Amino acid sequence: MTRWYEGPLAAFDTETTGVDVERDRIVSAALVVQECAGGRARSTRWLVNPGIPVPPGATEVHGLTDDHLQRNGRWPAPVVDEIAQALAEQQAAGRPVVVMNAPFDLTLLDRELRRHRASSLNRYLDERPLTVLDPRVLDKHLDRYRKGRRTLTDLCAHYGIELEAAHDAAADAMASLELVRAVGRRFAGRLERLSPAELHTLQMVWHAAQARGLQAWFTRNGTPEPVNPHWPLRPDLPAAA
């Protein structure tokens, strides 16, 4: 029987105008699908004219300028509809979706759907959640005492995953997918008996515990920043931008 981390997986990633899921916008996104480890990956890419200026700091990260997006990007409404439908197709196919730091990308997509489609990600999914695998949550739980940062770049270096063109949505999605496979192999003794659906539920618990630990650390160090415990999608706020 094929282990889940050797079988079909999809991966989703976005590049954005910033890091505020309630106010920032998607400028590019990608969905990568691979039917088996080592198999050919199929990529779907989207480029978006967000309708607001892209801050210089964001452009420095992903390289997408206002001029480029205005000339080549599509309007957000049809794009976020296509993205949500593509994710719903993964759900219908029973294919787990890898999302690095899932609460960021999935919540931002949800807010874009509310902003441009008067809808939500859950409505596209018929109120049935995606099965999500988040390499950041998995690694932090399975190797919790390891020192150091756990960005995508850091995790790829730790697990020996090649990351070309970092901060390109398709490249980051593919690296995240390979990263989950690598985590699965390294911790096979603890993971292979769990189904992706079971792991999804466990990651909700693990992420909440990780958030409580980070919040306690912030409190001890006098940092007022709140840490959201919800995973993989933050609940909607009464007045999202």
Side-chain angles (χ1 to χ4, degrees):
M1 182 176 178
T2 303
R3 297 176 173 89
W4 62 262
Y5 48 83
E6 305 290 359
L9 292 175
F12 175 64
D13 188 72
T14 65
E15 297 299 329
T16 67
T17 60
V19 296
D20 185 339
V21 297
E22 303 298 338
R23 297 185 179 277
D24 279 303
R25 312 296 173 89
I26 294 172
V27 295
S28 71
L31 180 70
V32 174
V33 178
Q34 188 182 48
E35 297 301 339
C36 63
R40 180 177 177 272
R42 307 189 306 273
S43 298
T44 305
R45 302 167 181 255
W46 295 271
L47 191 66
V48 187
N49 179 353
I52 65 170
V54 180
T59 296
E60 287 178 11
V61 172
H62 49 59
L64 297 171
T65 64
D66 279 330
D67 181 67
H68 179 75
L69 293 171
Q70 289 167 10
R71 289 174 180 272
N72 301 285
R74 298 165 57 204
W75 289 113
V79 173
V80 296
D81 174 72
E82 289 173 14
I83 294 172
Q85 289 193 44
L87 291 175
E89 289 171 6
Q90 306 313 307
Q91 175 205 60
R95 191 178 291 115
V97 179
V98 176
V99 190
M100 174 73 184
N101 192 19
F104 177 79
D105 293 83
L106 295 182
T107 303
L108 200 146
L109 173 60
D110 177 78
R111 300 323 190 240
E112 289 278 59
L113 289 165
R114 293 170 187 272
R115 183 178 294 120
H116 297 292
R117 306 294 302 190
S119 188
S120 69
L121 183 56
N122 281 333
R123 288 183 192 171
Y124 277 82
L125 301 173
D126 294 327
E127 305 299 331
R128 292 175 289 127
L130 288 169
T131 299
V132 177
L133 298 170
D134 187 333
R136 185 173 184 272
V137 175
L138 291 171
D139 173 76
K140 198 170 185 179
H141 176 79
L142 294 163
D143 198 0
R144 68 182 68 183
Y145 299 114
R146 190 179 80 249
K147 302 291 186 182
R149 287 155 44 92
R150 302 190 194 232
T151 66
L152 179 61
T153 300
D154 296 317
L155 291 180
C156 285
H158 179 72
Y159 285 92
I161 303 300
E162 185 175 1
L163 175 56
E164 296 182 353
H167 299 296
D168 169 84
D172 286 359
M174 188 68 219
S176 297
L177 188 153
E178 294 293 351
L179 184 56
V180 161
R181 294 198 191 281
V183 172
R185 293 176 189 125
R186 183 168 297 188
F187 296 98
R190 299 167 65 181
L191 296 178
E192 64 183 356
R193 295 183 182 276
L194 296 169
S195 69
E198 290 170 328
L199 270 175
H200 178 100
T201 301
L202 286 169
Q203 285 170 103
M204 295 174 71
V205 177
W206 296 343
H207 179 271
Q210 291 162 12
R212 289 194 299 271
L214 182 57
Q215 189 72 77
W217 188 87
F218 279 162
T219 300
R220 288 195 302 271
N221 288 274
T223 302
E225 181 180 351
V227 182
N228 195 304
H230 296 280
W231 182 96
L233 179 66
R234 296 177 187 174
D236 57 300
L237 298 180

